[in-house]
Amino acid sequence: MSASQGSTNTNTEPWGSFDDNIIIQGSGSAVIDMENMDDTSGSSFEDMGEIHQRLKEEEEVTAEAAATEEDNGEDGEFLGMKGLKGQLGRQVADEVWQAGKRQASKAFNLYANIDILRPYFDVEPNQVRNRLVESLIPVRMINFPQKVAGELYGPMMLVFTMVAILLHGMKTSGTVIREGTLMGTAIGTCFGYWLGVSSFIYFLAYLCNAQITMLQMLSLLGYGLFGHCMVLFITYNVHFHSLFYILWLVIGGLSTLRMVAVLISRTVGQTPRLILCGTLAALHMLFLLYLHFAYHKMVEGILDTLEGPNIPPIQRVARDVPVVANAVVNATIKSISAVLQSQ
Amino acid sequence: MAEVEESSKPLFAGLSDISISEDIPVEGDISVPVGSQSADNDFSTLDEPVKDTILRDLKAVGQKFVHVMYPKKSSALLRDWDLWGPLLLCVTLALMLQGGSVDSEEDGRPQFAEVFVIIWFGSVIITLNTKLLGGTISFFQSLCVLGYCILPLTVAMIVCRIVLVGGSGLVSFVVRLIVVTASFSWSTFASTAFLADSQPPNRKALVVYPVFLFYFVIGWMILTFSPSH
């Protein structure tokens, strides 16, 4: 045992070498506090374990806890001896706390580890922009499996954007949700569609032997919502039915065609291709149709006459919305179209 | 050489020969370590009067408000984060935006719970997104920044309320639109000044967009608020 180590910690043994005694004593006093003497003095393994655990605690805790830990350390600093009454209770409490903390942090690291999702968010802005544009361009080559990017940033942002657009649509159409909230319905609809239809199509793809993973399906459908976002953004503000139908066919159709082409390129056989792509196309186009008409001002009158006596849970009640913005835009478009027609 | 011989002997070997006679006076000063107790007093704020605690916390919150209104490059908001300010702002905004009961005629205004949930879950999601994109900011620091940057929108809400007292025509709508747009861009700018520093430089747009969307939704809720007179 070398007494010349001083303040450097050359801790080679796992249980904490004898040097630790001198270090713990460190800035102590000339007085030996006989109160803290114990019969288990000197050699025992438990004492070394105590010292080691105490050192480990001092490493792990934060600055505030370190103040109380120093208190404990100073009490038992002389050769690791402990008093009988106070120290024992405190030690037991310490052990329980440490064990609980270890369990909790293990569980947290296992289940709430967001690092699992980190690789799916590793994108650059220009990649996201390119994929957004590509989601409206159907691919030509369907004999060769098309590459699908497996990322989740773009789809998630698109779903949240669609939630925001839906909220706006619900507000301007004066929808009133009785059993629930506007926000909850919007989030439930968008996320439900993205996750639910992805899972369903993935299940069908599994049945039809298509080569696509769940992540790729989520990504594909997520980017397919870009067309929906654009159409809804335009038509919730400019209420022309013919405009909506044209946009529905063109933009909705393009994004559906892209998804369908990618799926066809990854499936073998006519019937599986038909089933898979038919289902996806139907669901995708019908969803856009539903979103437009579910929150539309014109439908309110029909609903009220049809379902007079029994009031359904989702009740649409007309109210005075500040229609200034809508009126201005509609008037502008109408005047422009009138001018164009008169030429 | 003599020193080496001395150190090779065991330390207390010669002491057994010594006996202390009563002729030798023993005197001196013995100091017992009392350092631990005084250190305890400095760290423990449990014994101070409640008024002191509240005033200290309010002062910290007010200081951070100033940092938000004049976003300079300071790390005070990040260093000592706290969630009192965001809670105060969130509750104020939710109370002011609250609608009446569902059966009354003014339906469709957001309920208190809705606004509260939007703000907190929106903040959590933006924080998760920032962390997943490789940010170096911690979870609660990010919550703190996003919550404090709602301050301009709360101010805009108060202004809108005052403007709406005067009437709800086209002029008031334009005024409210300008105020809300200005405050929402201020919020976005202030929070990106704090948040985007912790990102690699070419990915700032990926972090800014959700923040923009978040404050846009809150700003839109404020703009479409109509009073219930």
Side-chain angles (χ1 to χ4, degrees), chain A residues 162-343:
Chain A
M162 205 160 82
V163 168
I165 296 177
L166 256 190
L167 261 185
H168 172 60
M170 285 202 266
K171 275 279 193 168
T172 54
S173 75
T175 306
V176 170
I177 311 284
R178 278 186 178 273
E179 308 287 333
T181 60
L182 232 58
M183 192 69 190
T185 314
I187 290 184
T189 311
C190 296
F191 267 98
Y193 175 75
W194 183 46
L195 295 171
V197 172
S198 285
S199 320
F200 180 60
I201 300 289
Y202 176 68
F203 169 66
L204 278 186
Y206 170 75
L207 290 181
C208 302
N209 265 334
Q211 304 290 323
I212 196 162
T213 65
M214 182 67 187
L215 174 71
Q216 287 171 331
M217 192 60 228
L218 280 171
S219 182
L220 194 64
L221 193 65
Y223 275 112
L225 287 176
F226 177 57
H228 281 20
C229 282
M230 273 178 22
V231 174
L232 288 175
F233 182 66
I234 298 174
T235 56
Y236 275 151
N237 293 318
V238 178
H239 294 280
F240 279 145
H241 269 305
S242 44
L243 181 66
F244 168 71
Y245 282 123
I246 293 171
L247 285 177
W248 177 61
L249 281 175
V250 171
I251 299 185
L254 277 177
S255 85
T256 312
L257 271 179
R258 159 139 185 113
M259 291 199 295
V260 158
V262 169
L263 278 179
I264 286 182
S265 75
R266 287 168 169 259
T267 318
V268 183
Q270 288 288 65
T271 316
R273 280 178 174 181
L274 196 62
I275 296 174
L276 199 56
C277 303
T279 320
L280 181 59
L283 284 172
H284 204 62
M285 300 293 273
L286 286 177
F287 184 58
L288 185 53
L289 213 60
Y290 164 72
L291 281 182
H292 176 81
F293 283 112
Y295 306 112
H296 197 274
K297 272 203 272 202
M298 302 282 215
V299 187
E300 285 169 25
I302 301 177
L303 275 185
D304 281 340
T305 54
L306 280 180
E307 301 167 8
N310 26 336
I311 301 173
I314 297 181
Q315 184 183 35
R316 293 180 179 84
V317 173
R319 68 178 183 118
D320 283 342
V321 181
V323 292
V324 181
N326 282 340
V328 166
V329 173
N330 277 345
T332 317
I333 301 255
K334 279 189 180 131
S335 60
I336 291 175
S337 63
V339 164
L340 286 174
Q341 276 178 353
S342 65
Q343 281 178 350

Side-chain angles (χ1 to χ4, degrees), chain A residues 29 31 71 74 114 118 121-125 153 157 160-161 167-168 171 176 178 181-183 319 324, chain B residues 30-31 33 36 43 103 107-108 110 114 118 125 129 131-134 170 202-203 206 209-210 213 217 220:
Chain A
S29 66
V31 173
D71 208 11
E74 276 172 354
I114 63 167
R118 207 179 274 267
F121 280 76
D122 192 16
V123 289
E124 305 289 323
Y153 173 81
M157 289 306 126
F160 280 121
T161 311
L167 261 185
H168 172 60
K171 275 279 193 168
V176 170
R178 278 186 178 273
T181 60
L182 232 58
M183 192 69 190
R319 68 178 183 118
V324 181
Chain B
I30 298 179
S31 66
S36 60
F43 287 102
D103 296 328
D107 295 326
E114 224 173 322
I118 288 176
I125 288 171
N129 178 58
K131 286 187 81 74
L132 282 170
L133 284 173
L170 180 64
N202 55 341
R203 292 206 185 165
L206 295 181
Y209 178 69
L213 200 61
V217 167
W220 169 82

